Amino acid sequence: MNVGRALALPLGLAVVVGLTACFSAPPRPTPTVPPVPVTPPPKPDSIPEVIPRIEPRARSGNPPFYDVFGKRYFVLSSSVGYRERGVASWYGPGFHKVRTSIGEPYDMYGMTAAHKTLPLPAYVRVTNLQNGRSVVVRVNDRGPFVGNRIIDLSYSAAAKLDMLRNGTAMVEVRTIDPSSPPSVVTASATPAPAAAPPAATALDIVAPATAAPAGSTPAAAPAATAPGTATPTLGGGATSPAAAAPALFVQAGAFSDPANAERLAEKLRGGSYGKVIVRDDQIAGRRMYRVRIGPVPSVAEFDRVVAALERAGINDAHLALD
């Protein structure tokens, strides 16, 4: 289990400060009594799948924005079209049956997750980029509020993605629109041919343009399915890897001017970041030059590079696919 989950909290505890409607909440305390003994299921396949369905926006857990540990988070007005790549963690027995942000008890054997800004509830497909496994989960909680983690998964979801032992994994998170769910496809035990390389996009973190607060990154069109991702299914069962895992990089910047990209690359090559490359891509008829470091073989290396970049004043580095 990723101990950082102890920093997460239900937003139902948030309080309004003054007339600014600023939501602030203390961290969820670590349980002071042993968790209720629970017996893990014999295998992840025994866990029921999640079927996305249309649900009303929860009455709690969805303030316009809220503050945790001095950082402000803006809750998106819509989950449609959201995509993000980064590091996932999971939380388990210490929070089993503890109330989530929307008031439901957390079930470590359910297919659920916590996210900092998606409207609650929401449905997302999480793909482990290191092994191609994929699951669908229902987002009903807030967190994780530690490091550069982008999503906190339930025990069952983490088990299906084969990330329990390591505690973390590099993933892609894509929202699912319950009004038009993906087609049902039965996962094959025989590896499928490798998919074509994904269409180049300017950004690797995508959120609906109408949902982001002022000054945030604009939305970009979703890329095609990347090599190594799993074949989609409607439910929450993990699919089998379709091909070899894609190469993963830390993207330090993206520029329309190649001189700016080369300037940053030269600066980084003088440090201990690893191999630095400038990728030249044609995106919607426009050339973009993306500065990347890697490949990064593990979450530990990803964390090391991102932390080093933050010390150098680069605070928007994120995970990218080759």
Side-chain angles (χ1 to χ4, degrees):
M1 160 179 177
N2 187 304
V3 296
R5 180 59 193 169
L7 298 177
L9 61 151
L11 285 184
L13 300 178
V15 297
V16 179
V17 179
L19 299 177
T20 62
C22 172
F23 289 76
S24 177
R28 175 186 291 170
T30 301
T32 56
V33 296
V36 177
V38 286
T39 303
K43 55 183 179 179
D45 290 344
S46 67
I47 303 164
E49 296 184 348
V50 167
I51 305 298
R53 60 188 178 89
I54 298 175
E55 298 186 63
R57 194 179 181 98
R59 295 175 62 89
S60 61
N62 287 306
F65 57 87
Y66 63 96
D67 295 336
V68 176
F69 303 133
K71 185 173 181 178
R72 178 161 293 183
Y73 300 91
F74 291 86
V75 175
L76 300 176
S77 62
S78 170
S79 64
V80 176
Y82 187 90
R83 185 190 71 198
E84 187 174 10
R85 293 175 184 141
V87 178
S89 52
W90 68 276
Y91 60 125
F95 297 94
H96 192 57
K97 302 302 181 182
V98 174
R99 191 178 67 170
T100 63
S101 296
I102 65 175
E104 301 171 348
Y106 167 62
D107 180 2
M108 62 182 284
Y109 295 142
M111 295 295 292
T112 61
H115 193 276
K116 292 185 283 287
T117 59
L118 284 172
L120 303 179
Y123 291 89
V124 301
R125 175 171 293 282
V126 183
T127 301
N128 186 334
L129 298 174
Q130 296 171 276
N131 62 21
R133 291 178 176 269
S134 178
V135 297
V136 173
V137 295
R138 179 174 176 264
V139 182
N140 67 349
D141 205 0
R142 290 286 175 222
F145 301 107
V146 60
N148 54 13
R149 306 315 187 226
I150 65 170
I151 194 167
D152 231 352
L153 299 170
S154 65
Y155 167 89
S156 293
K160 285 176 177 281
L161 292 179
D162 193 23
M163 55 173 280
L164 289 177
R165 178 176 300 179
N166 292 335
T168 56
M170 290 184 279
V171 301
E172 178 178 83
V173 177
R174 285 176 180 259
T175 53
I176 294 175
D177 183 358
S179 65
S180 56
S183 302
V184 177
V185 179
T186 303
S188 172
T190 304
T201 57
L203 301 170
D204 288 303
I205 300 178
V206 179
T210 58
S216 61
T217 301
T225 302
T229 55
T231 305
T233 62
L234 177 60
T239 60
S240 301
L248 302 173
F249 294 81
V250 177
Q251 182 160 309
F255 305 87
S256 58
D257 185 344
N260 290 336
E262 286 296 339
R263 189 175 299 113
L264 175 59
E266 283 303 312
K267 175 184 177 182
L268 297 179
R269 289 182 183 121
S272 58
Y273 302 99
K275 184 178 179 181
V276 180
I277 63 173
V278 176
R279 174 164 168 159
D280 179 356
D281 290 311
Q282 188 80 16
I283 303 166
R286 183 182 175 197
R287 299 193 83 84
M288 289 294 295
Y289 302 86
R290 297 187 279 188
V291 181
R292 291 182 173 177
I293 300 169
V296 288
S298 65
V299 171
E301 179 63 7
F302 175 79
D303 287 343
R304 184 194 71 81
V305 173
V306 170
L309 290 172
E310 289 177 345
R311 289 193 296 270
I314 300 173
N315 297 312
D316 56 353
H318 56 269
L319 186 66
L321 299 181
D322 188 6

